[in-house]
Amino acid sequence: MRVAIICALVALPAMAAEEWKNKPILDTSHSPKAILHGVPVSSVKLGEGFWTPRRKAVVDASLPSLLELFEQKGIIDNFRRVSGSKNVARRGPLYTDSDVYKWLEAIAFVLQDREHTALRQAGQQVIDEIAAAQESSGYINTYFTKENLALRHKNMRHGHELYCLGHLIQAGIAWQRATGETKLLNAGRKMGDYVYAEFGKDKKPVFEGHPEIELALVELYRSTGEKKYLDLAGYMLAGDPRNEANVPPREFVYLFTVKPFTSRTIMEGHAVRAAYACSGAADYYLETGDPAYSATLQTLWHDMTARKQYITGGIGSRGAGEAFGDPYELPNQQAYTESCAAIATMFWNWRMMHAWPDAKYMDNFERALYNGANSGLSLDGRLYCYRNPLELTGNPDDKIRNPWYDTTCCPPNLQRILASLPGYMYSTSKDGVWIHLYHASTMDWKLEDGTPLKIEQKTEYPWKGSVEMTISPASPKRFTLHVRVPEWSAKSVLTVNGRPWSAPVKAGGYVEIERTWKTGEKVELSLDVAPRMTQSNLRVRENIGKVAVERGPLLYCMEGLDQPDGTTVFDWYLDAQTPRWAEEWKPDLLGGIMTLQASAHRPLEAAATRPLYDRYPSWPPAKMKPGSITLIPYYTFTNRETTTMQVWIPARQ
Ligand code: FUB
Ligand code: ZN
C-alpha cells in the first residue's frame, strides 16, 4: 500500500500534469490527415450572449436535475447493485449506463471551462460507484451481469454493450482532460482491453448493433498512443464477414459490424447509429488516410444533405426504426428527428471539417446547433425533446417536452454538446487560425508555431449580424486568419482595421486574411441577418407551396398562441411575393428573443367551416383578409402552453 502511494506520487511530475490539460475535444495533434486542430474548451471563455442562458440552464438545472432523476429511477443504483453496496433490482432499459457516462462527460466539459465544486463532487461520487462495479476482468455493464450473466455477448445486436463502453471511454477521456484524474478513464480502458482481448479478427466476432465505440476507440488511441484501440475501431468498421450468415439482408442497414462501412452508399437505417458510424469512420480516416473511407464519407454526407436532412439540421424522419426515410421523405408533424441524431450530425461535421476544411461542414454544424439540437432542451433546462417535429396540431397528448424518457439518451447528449460549445468555435492549422462560430468571447490560445494568440469577439450574434474581432498575437506575426462567412448571408462586408477587405467575401466560405498581424488589430464582419424565406425541393411533397422563414442561423416557426384573433397557425398564407417584415426584440418572451412579424392573408371564410374536399379551384378563395403573423425562433417552440406550431407556411402567390 505504502509503495503504491509512493509510486503514485512519483508518477505525477509537472510534465504529466501538463499532458492532460489543454486538450481539445478531438485531439488531432498527431493525426496524419488532420488539417485542422481543435482548441481546448478551456481556452475560449464565452461572454454574455445567446448561449449564456442555454449553458447556464445546463449547469444550474439540467445536470443536477438529471442526477436526481437517475437516482429516482434507480439508474445509479444499477451500479451499486453490481458492486454489492445496494441490494436492489436492476431498473431501466439495458443501455442506461451510457446515459450516466454522457452526463459525466458533460460535467467534464463544464469543468474544462471552469471549476464547479458541486458538479465535480457529484461526478466524482458517481465515478466511484462505476469503478466499484467493474469486474476484475475489466468487464463493466450493469445489465449483462448477475441474473443476465448468461446473456453477456449473446445479444450484441441489440445489447448495446459496446455502445455503453464507447460512452464510458469518452467520459473518461473528457474527465481526465478536465481534472487530470484517471479513475474513469482507467475503467474505460480496462473494459477496452477486455474487449480487445476477447474480440477481433482471430478471436470472437464483434457483432455490435449501435455504433459509438468506434469514435471513442479512436480518441482513446489518440489519448494513450496505443494502436490496438485504433485497430479495434478499424476492425469494427470493416465488419466481420463471420456475422453475415446470421443477419437477414435488410437488417444490414441497422447493423454496423457486418459489412464494411466502406460498402455503404446511402444514409439509411437508424439515424443516430448511422451518423455515429460516420463520425467514427471520419475519425478512422483522420488517423489512417484510407481513401475508401474518404470516398464513402463524401458520398454519405452528400446523400444526407441533398436528400435526407431537415431544415432544422435534424435527421431521421421515420419513427419506425428511428430511421432515415426514403429520399425527400421529410414529413413535418411526424418528423422523428431525435435530438441525438441532430447532435450526431454535428460530431460528424466537426470530424469532416478536420480532414477537409470547408465551410459547408460548419454551416451544417451551425444549422443543427441553433435549431434541431438546440430545440431539444427547454428554456428552463428541465425538459427535453426526444423528437423535434416541425409541426404540431396542438393536441395536448403530444408530449414533446418531458423531464424523463426511459430511453434518456437525448438529455445528456444535449448537455455534453452545449457544455463543450467553446471548443467548437476555433481551430488552428499550420498556416494560422480558423474562426468557425460567433459569440461574445475571448480565445486565449496559440498558433501552431507556439506564438500566443488572443482573439476577442464582440457581437450580439445571432440577433445582430456584426462581429468585431480583435486579433492579438503576443508579437507581430504573419499568419492566415480564416473567417467563416455563413452560406445564408446574402450581403457580407469584411474590413481589416477599418479598410474593406480586397478579395470577395463569399457566402459559404472562409475569407483568408494572410498578413502580418500586430496585437490589437481589428477585423469586422457584417453579416446579413435580414429575415429570408426558404423553399424546399419539389420532391419534399409536404412542403410544396410553402416557405420557411429564417433569420441568420435561426429557423423560425409560428405558434398558435402568438397569432391574432384566436386563429391557429394553419389559417394563414404568408405574403411570399411581397412580404413586409417587422422585427421586435422581446426581452421577456421565451428568454429574450427577436420576434418577426410578416404580412399575411387568411381566407374570409375559415378553413374549418369548408368541406374536406371541394371542386378545384374554389380554394384558396379569392376573398382574403390581410393581417400579420408572428414568428418565433424554432428552438423555443412548446416552451409555453400547448398550441399549434408550424415551420413550413403556405405561401400566398
Ligand atoms: O439505442 C438506444 C438509444 O436510442 C440510443 O442512445 C439512441 O441512438 C436512441 O435512438
Ligand atoms: Zn437520443
Side-chain angles (χ1 to χ4, degrees):
M1 185 61 179
R2 221 183 133 78
V3 176
I5 291 168
I6 292 166
C7 291
L9 290 176
V10 174
L12 279 174
M15 267 273 291
E18 272 304 293
E19 268 170 28
W20 55 265
K21 256 190 170 172
N22 295 330
K23 297 280 187 195
I25 296 166
L26 293 188
D27 184 6
T28 59
S29 49
H30 301 292
S31 309
K33 288 291 168 186
I35 294 170
L36 297 194
H37 306 107
V39 305
V41 170
S42 60
S43 70
V44 182
K45 298 290 171 229
L46 297 193
E48 278 299 310
F50 181 86
W51 291 112
T52 318
R54 306 296 287 140
R55 299 181 75 242
K56 190 167 162 24
V58 168
V59 172
D60 295 351
S62 181
L63 285 163
S65 61
L66 191 59
L67 178 59
E68 278 169 27
L69 287 163
F70 282 157
E71 291 287 12
Q72 271 174 33
K73 308 280 176 186
I75 307 305
I76 309 289
D77 275 354
N78 288 340
F79 291 97
R80 297 187 182 111
R81 170 182 177 264
V82 176
S83 66
S85 69
K86 216 163 176 183
N87 187 10
V88 285
R90 193 189 181 283
R91 289 170 69 190
L94 42 69
Y95 34 71
T96 56
D97 296 358
S98 66
D99 303 323
V100 179
Y101 301 148
K102 265 190 280 185
W103 173 84
L104 280 167
E105 191 185 353
I107 295 183
F109 286 129
V110 172
L111 298 178
Q112 286 182 24
D113 182 26
R114 66 185 167 99
E115 186 45 66
H116 193 298
T117 312
L119 284 178
R120 182 193 275 250
Q121 279 172 358
Q124 255 156 0
Q125 281 165 10
V126 172
I127 290 172
D128 290 344
E129 304 287 2
I130 293 167
Q134 187 160 38
E135 295 176 13
S136 55
S137 66
Y139 187 83
I140 180 164
N141 185 296
T142 65
Y143 185 86
F144 292 98
T145 188
K146 294 192 174 268
E147 71 280 3
N148 291 325
L149 185 60
L151 300 176
R152 189 177 289 182
H153 310 320
K154 298 278 179 339
N155 179 22
M156 294 189 86
R157 266 158 93 166
H158 306 294
H160 293 67
E161 278 169 288
L162 301 185
Y163 167 85
C164 289
L165 170 59
H167 282 304
L168 172 58
I169 291 172
Q170 286 189 306
I173 292 172
W175 195 269
Q176 190 219 14
R177 289 175 184 175
T179 65
E181 289 155 20
T182 54
K183 194 170 190 174
L184 191 64
L185 177 58
N186 288 343
R189 208 168 160 178
K190 236 170 127 184
M191 171 77 172
D193 292 344
Y194 166 89
V195 172
Y196 183 79
E198 293 275 315
F199 298 94
K201 208 161 166 222
D202 307 315
K203 305 165 227 173
K204 287 183 232 160
V206 165
F207 197 177
E208 173 65 21
H210 198 315
E212 152 61 23
I213 179 78
E214 302 79 359
L215 53 152
L217 282 172
V218 178
E219 198 60 26
L220 187 59
Y221 158 67
R222 291 181 185 135
S223 145
T224 61
E226 279 204 55
K227 185 150 176 306
K228 67 178 181 190
Y229 300 125
L230 178 67
D231 293 341
L232 189 54
Y235 158 78
M236 291 181 190
L237 287 161
D240 193 320
R242 287 176 290 172
N243 289 327
E244 199 154 354
N246 303 319
V247 181
R250 274 309 296 167
E251 277 207 36
F252 153 62
V253 302
Y254 286 92
L255 298 166
F256 288 82
T257 39
V258 183
K259 291 194 178 170
F261 175 83
T262 52
S263 68
R264 291 182 176 266
T265 55
I266 55 170
M267 290 298 273
E268 59 185 334
H270 189 277
V272 181
R273 297 174 194 215
Y276 278 177
C278 292
S279 304
D283 270 324
Y284 188 71
Y285 171 80
L286 283 163
E287 303 309 318
T288 61
D290 185 332
Y293 279 82
S294 154
T296 304
L297 286 163
Q298 312 284 347
T299 303
L300 296 181
W301 194 87
H302 177 74
D303 184 53
M304 175 179 81
T305 55
R307 290 180 276 268
K308 294 175 184 164
Q309 193 169 30
Y310 281 97
I311 192 170
T312 57
I315 54 170
S317 54
R318 287 188 189 171
E322 308 189 312
F324 283 100
D326 288 334
Y328 309 104
E329 183 189 325
L330 295 166
N332 293 317
Q333 195 198 325
Q334 298 302 324
Y336 197 73
T337 46
E338 183 181 337
S339 299
C340 285
I343 293 167
T345 68
M346 295 166 69
F347 294 150
W348 185 17
N349 277 307
W350 185 239
R351 285 157 175 81
M352 298 294 273
M353 188 70 196
H354 278 68
W356 303 283
D358 189 318
K360 69 183 182 185
Y361 298 123
M362 288 317 290
D363 282 337
N364 203 265
F365 179 103
E366 192 182 54
R367 181 172 286 286
L369 170 65
Y370 276 93
N371 304 296
N374 195 16
S375 55
L377 180 73
S378 67
L379 297 175
D380 69 1
R382 290 171 189 276
L383 303 175
Y384 311 90
C385 295
Y386 195 106
R387 294 178 54 218
N388 294 269
L390 286 82
E391 186 176 297
L392 291 170
T393 59
N395 183 340
D397 291 341
D398 282 348
K399 294 266 178 276
I400 290 297
R401 295 192 185 273
N402 297 286
W404 179 256
Y405 297 86
D406 276 346
T407 298
T408 210
C409 48
C410 300
N413 228 352
L414 291 157
Q415 294 168 347
R416 65 176 178 157
I417 195 77
L418 291 179
S420 60
L421 196 54
Y424 289 104
M425 288 184 65
Y426 294 89
S427 298
T428 60
S429 57
K430 264 201 198 107
D431 68 343
V433 65
W434 298 63
I435 308 183
H436 305 303
L437 300 176
Y438 299 112
H439 195 274
S441 57
T442 307
M443 183 201 75
D444 192 350
W445 189 233
K446 58 190 175 191
L447 293 167
E448 292 194 359
D449 69 358
T451 308
L453 173 69
K454 280 192 189 165
I455 299 182
E456 191 189 358
Q457 287 191 33
K458 284 191 187 155
T459 179
E460 290 175 53
Y461 189 93
W463 307 121
K464 295 191 179 162
S466 68
V467 189
E468 182 190 293
M469 292 159 268
T470 307
I471 316 301
S472 300
S475 53
K477 191 86 210 162
R478 189 165 189 87
F479 65 89
T480 303
L481 186 75
H482 302 257
V483 180
R484 177 171 155 258
V485 182
E487 48 84 22
W488 45 257
S489 178
K491 279 178 276 145
S492 312
V493 178
L494 188 133
T495 64
V496 179
N497 295 325
R499 294 212 185 102
W501 181 241
S502 47
V505 182
K506 279 201 216 124
Y510 281 78
V511 180
E512 295 180 6
I513 314 174
E514 190 198 347
R515 60 193 296 281
T516 300
W517 294 94
K518 295 190 231 53
T519 194
E521 294 197 300
K522 296 235 184 296
V523 173
E524 286 181 61
L525 177 64
S526 171
L527 300 168
D528 181 1
V529 293
R532 63 186 190 279
M533 289 174 295
T534 305
Q535 66 180 39
S536 288
N537 184 297
L538 177 63
R539 292 199 171 193
V540 185
R541 278 84 69 195
E542 273 204 37
N543 297 345
I544 292 171
K546 295 181 183 175
V547 290
V549 175
E550 299 182 271
R551 184 183 184 279
L554 290 170
L555 173 68
Y556 274 68
C557 69
M558 293 171 72
E559 279 206 317
L561 287 175
D562 304 310
Q563 310 315 320
D565 307 329
T567 56
T568 79
V569 301
F570 306 123
D571 293 316
W572 291 93
Y573 290 85
L574 197 152
D575 287 351
Q577 293 298 324
T578 50
R580 276 174 289 109
W581 301 103
E583 302 187 340
E584 192 178 351
W585 174 251
K586 296 232 169 128
D588 300 324
L589 181 64
L590 295 165
I593 52 166
M594 187 73 83
T595 58
L596 297 179
Q597 276 84 46
S599 54
H601 278 73
R602 65 184 155 109
L604 273 181
E605 191 186 349
T609 64
R610 299 280 307 169
L612 188 54
Y613 303 106
D614 202 356
R615 186 172 293 271
Y616 184 82
S618 63
W619 190 265
K623 288 190 184 153
M624 301 273 257
K625 186 174 167 183
S628 169
I629 55 172
T630 296
L631 297 104
I632 57 171
Y634 171 76
Y635 76 88
T636 64
F637 84 84
T638 310
N639 268 279
R640 299 172 288 177
E641 59 201 82
T642 305
T643 183
T644 52
M645 183 276 281
Q646 72 180 352
V647 166
W648 291 98
I649 308 168
R652 184 164 174 257
Q653 302 303 333

